[in-house]
Amino acid sequence: MRKDFLWGGAVAAHQVEGAYQTGGKGLSIADVMTAGSREQARRITAGVLEGEYYPNHEGIRFYEHYKEDIRLFAEMGFKCFRTSIAWSRIFPQGDEETPNEEGLRFYDDLFDELHKYQIEPVITLSHFEMPYELVKKCGGWRSREMIGHFIRFAQTVMERYKEKVKYWMTFNEINNQMILTNNIYAFTNSGILFEEGEDRLKTVYQAAHYEFVASAEVVRMGHEINPDFMIGCMVAATPVYAYSCHPDDVLLAQREDRKNLFFADVHARGHYPAYVKKEWERLGYQLDITKEDLEIIRKGCVDYIGFSYYLSSAISADPKVKKLGDDLAAGTDTVENPYLPMTPWGWAIDPKGLRYILNQYYDRYEVPLFVVENGFGFEDVMEDGQIHDQNRIEYLSDHIREMVKAVEEDGVDLLGYTVWGCIDPVSFGTGEMRKRYGFIYVDKKDDGSGTYERIRKDSFYWYQELINKMSK
C-alpha cells in the first residue's frame, strides 16, 4: 500500500448535517424526500408539506456536532474524511450571482477542524444536494442551463478552499440514474421528475451529457485554480456476473456491465464509446450534443476514478431461471447468486467482487482509483450501552483483505479507502436510521426522536487498530 494511503470514512452532507434552514441554506432535493423503509419507497413531495416527516432535515445534527465527531474520527486515526458541500448552503436558490457567505464559513470551519488533526478532506461537489429551486426553474439536468449553475458553484468553492481541499469529485454515483424504474434515482442524481409517457432512457442520456460537459469543464477550471488538485468522477461499481458459462449469459452480463462502465468511460477516456453511439443510432436518439461539448469532454478527463462498492449481481438470459425481479443493480434479468450470502436488505455480500472491480477499472483506464464508499448496513442492537457489531467487522475485514490483494498482488494504483457512513447517517435509500453503517452509533430513531448521543461501537476500536497497523 502507498505510504500516503488515505484510510478514512465517508458521509454526505444531506445525510448528516441537518440544519436544513440554518445559516441561509435553501431547500435541496434531499429536503423534499419523506422517510421510507425497505417495504415502502421514499416519496418526493412538491416542496416541504405540513404533516410529512423528512429525516434529512435533522440528519444526525453534524452541523452542530462536527467538532465532537471529528475528534472521534481522529481518535480512530483517520487520514481523510469524505463529505460533500451542500450546494444549496452556498447558493440557496442555485442561480444567485453571489454566494451565501455564512454557508462558505461553515465549510471553512469544518475543513480547519479536519486539518487540526491532519485529516485530509475529500469533497464531492454534487451528492444529491442540488437546490430544489433548480428543479422548479430548469427541470434539473434536463436543461443545458444547469451547466453554468454548476460551474459557478464549483468555481466558488474551489477558489475559496484551494488551500484546504486537494481531493475533489464532481457527481456522486452518476450512473445510478440509469435505474429507470424508480424515480428517486433520476431525481437525486439530476433533479429529474419523469413525465408520464416520456422516454426515460433518452432523458437520462441527455442529462448525463450535460453533466459530462459540466464535470469536464470543472476539471479543467480546477487545475487552473490549483494545479495540485486531484479531481475525480464517482460511480457506483456493481460488477455483473454471468450466471452460467452459456454465451447468452456472458453476452448479457457484458451488456449490463456497460451501463455502469459507460459513465467512467466518458469521464476517464474523454469520448463517447462506440457501443453507446450504436445504441443511440438503434433507438433513433438525436441528443443535444455539440462539437464544442465534445471538445470540452476530451480536454477534461478526470485524474482518478472514485467509486462505491457494496455488492455484485448475477444475470441470466434463460427464461427458465428464476429472476429476482426489479433489481437495482442489473435489471430484471438478475438472479440469485448461489455462492454468496445476502444482507438483511437483500444485497449480495461479495468481498472478491471488490478485487474484481479494482482490476477491471485499472486495466481499462490506467488511472489511480479511490474506494470512496464500502460499508455494511445492519440494524445494530445495543446491549448494556454497547454495540457488538462483529458482523460489520467481518464484512469490512473481508473486503479490505481483497482490496489489499488487488494492490499488492495485482498492481492496482489505489489512493485510499473510506468506509461509508463512518458515523451512522440517515439512509439514502430508505430514509431510515435503523439501517446503520457507522463505527459510531447515533442515538436517533426512525421517527426522529433520540438524544443524538455518539457511542463507539466495537468496530470503532477494530478500525482504529487496523489503521494503526496498516500505516506503519
Side-chain angles (χ1 to χ4, degrees):
M1 309 295 282
R2 290 165 168 258
K3 289 184 179 180
D4 59 350
F5 191 83
L6 294 171
W7 293 99
V11 296
H14 72 278
Q15 289 167 269
V16 296
E17 282 183 5
Y20 87 107
Q21 289 183 310
T22 301
K25 180 182 175 297
L27 283 182
S28 78
I29 52 180
D31 291 325
V32 298
M33 293 175 62
T34 66
S37 66
R38 183 179 175 185
E39 297 76 26
Q40 179 66 48
R42 302 183 77 176
R43 290 179 296 107
I44 301 161
T45 59
V48 174
L49 305 181
E50 187 175 350
E52 295 283 0
Y53 175 52
Y54 302 92
N56 298 73
H57 288 186
E58 288 289 325
I60 59 166
R61 299 181 181 173
F62 180 77
Y63 189 88
E64 305 163 32
H65 290 263
Y66 72 89
K67 290 186 178 181
E68 171 192 351
D69 295 339
I70 290 170
R71 281 197 301 273
L72 290 168
F73 301 156
E75 185 181 334
M76 271 189 283
F78 279 19
K79 310 301 180 186
C80 73
F81 174 57
R82 179 196 172 209
T83 188
S84 54
I85 294 175
W87 186 349
S88 67
R89 204 175 284 286
I90 309 304
F91 289 96
Q93 307 296 307
D95 59 357
E96 298 94 340
E97 292 298 323
T98 304
N100 172 33
E101 178 60 27
E102 193 167 350
L104 289 167
R105 283 201 303 273
F106 168 71
Y107 292 106
D108 269 318
D109 294 342
L110 174 63
F111 300 151
D112 288 345
E113 193 70 17
L114 288 167
H115 284 299
K116 186 169 81 174
Y117 297 99
Q118 291 80 53
I119 298 174
E120 192 80 36
V122 178
I123 300 303
T124 314
L125 289 167
S126 183
H127 195 142
F128 312 158
E129 292 146 352
M130 66 178 284
Y132 179 62
E133 285 300 312
L134 293 181
V135 175
K136 294 162 63 176
K137 294 174 183 177
C138 303
W141 283 92
R142 290 176 182 273
S143 171
R144 179 176 282 273
E145 185 181 339
M146 285 295 299
I147 298 173
H149 296 318
F150 181 74
I151 290 173
R152 182 187 300 113
F153 163 60
Q155 182 175 8
T156 298
V157 296
M158 283 180 157
E159 287 182 345
R160 177 77 170 223
Y161 309 122
K162 63 183 177 182
E163 303 301 330
K164 298 184 180 185
V165 177
K166 175 181 179 180
Y167 296 94
W168 302 86
M169 284 173 283
T170 51
F171 295 93
N172 183 73
E173 292 187 334
I174 185 172
N175 54 317
N176 272 354
Q177 60 192 306
M178 294 293 280
I179 302 170
L180 302 175
T181 52
N182 188 325
N183 201 33
I184 281 179
Y185 292 91
F187 182 70
T188 51
N189 275 109
S190 301
I192 289 171
L193 290 168
F194 292 124
E195 298 168 2
E196 188 175 351
E198 79 172 299
D199 186 335
R200 294 185 174 195
L201 182 60
K202 183 178 181 181
T203 298
V204 166
Y205 271 134
Q206 184 64 76
H209 171 72
Y210 294 147
E211 289 162 345
F212 288 142
V213 174
S215 176
E217 188 63 14
V218 166
V219 171
R220 183 202 60 77
M221 177 185 68
H223 289 151
E224 289 183 354
I225 293 170
N226 185 341
D228 292 331
F229 278 172
M230 289 285 288
I231 309 171
C233 61
M234 197 291 200
V235 295
T238 308
V240 180
Y241 302 147
Y243 179 68
S244 75
C245 56
H246 193 292
D248 287 348
D249 283 2
V250 175
L251 286 169
L252 181 62
Q254 181 184 58
R255 188 172 75 236
E256 286 296 327
D257 225 13
R258 282 173 170 170
K259 290 181 181 178
N260 291 324
L261 292 171
F262 160 67
F263 289 84
D265 281 352
V266 179
H267 276 114
R269 291 172 164 175
H271 62 84
Y272 283 107
Y275 62 81
V276 82
K277 291 180 181 179
K278 277 296 181 183
E279 181 182 11
W280 293 345
E281 180 183 320
R282 187 170 62 254
L283 294 172
Y285 290 172
Q286 297 291 325
L287 302 180
D288 175 24
I289 299 175
T290 69
K291 290 182 180 179
E292 292 77 13
D293 292 344
L294 296 176
E295 185 64 11
I296 290 169
I297 290 171
R298 185 182 70 82
K299 292 180 178 179
C301 292
V302 293
D303 300 315
Y304 69 94
I305 295 172
F307 65 90
S308 60
Y309 177 78
Y310 294 100
L311 72 158
S312 62
S313 290
I315 195 166
S316 174
D318 187 348
K320 297 177 183 177
V321 177
K322 183 182 177 182
K323 307 300 193 292
L324 292 178
D326 195 14
D327 183 76
L328 294 181
T332 55
D333 290 314
T334 304
V335 299
E336 184 175 344
N337 189 326
Y339 301 102
L340 299 176
M342 307 281 274
T343 73
W345 271 262
W347 291 11
I349 300 174
D350 181 14
K352 291 182 179 179
L354 177 55
R355 183 179 184 181
Y356 174 90
I357 206 75
L358 282 163
N359 277 282
Q360 183 186 45
Y361 281 1
Y362 196 61
D363 288 350
R364 192 175 182 97
Y365 305 116
E366 295 185 321
V367 298
L369 306 177
F370 200 151
V371 183
V372 295
E373 289 185 29
N374 177 229
F376 181 72
F378 191 75
E379 191 169 357
D380 294 329
V381 177
M382 186 174 292
E383 300 175 358
D384 300 323
Q386 297 180 318
I387 297 95
H388 304 296
D389 55 340
Q390 184 61 32
N391 50 5
R392 180 171 293 108
I393 292 171
E394 291 174 0
Y395 175 97
L396 293 173
S397 295
D398 291 345
H399 282 75
I400 289 169
R401 189 177 302 111
E402 294 300 326
M403 178 184 76
V404 170
K405 289 178 184 176
V407 174
E408 297 188 350
E409 297 182 24
D410 305 332
V412 171
D413 184 5
L414 189 61
L415 298 173
Y417 172 83
T418 57
V419 174
W420 174 251
C422 51
I423 181 169
D424 288 342
V426 172
S427 171
F428 157 68
T430 64
E432 295 172 296
M433 282 302 299
R434 68 187 178 102
K435 185 182 183 184
R436 297 179 180 272
Y437 285 88
F439 303 123
I440 302 164
Y441 181 92
V442 178
D443 181 28
K444 177 186 177 180
K445 299 178 177 60
D446 283 341
D447 62 2
S449 64
T451 65
Y452 290 81
E453 179 186 3
R454 274 61 169 155
I455 301 169
R456 298 167 183 83
K457 304 178 189 179
D458 285 359
S459 59
F460 179 101
Y461 302 103
W462 165 81
Y463 199 48
Q464 179 187 60
E465 184 178 348
L466 181 137
I467 294 175
N468 182 56
K469 178 182 177 182
M470 296 295 291
S471 299
K472 288 182 179 178

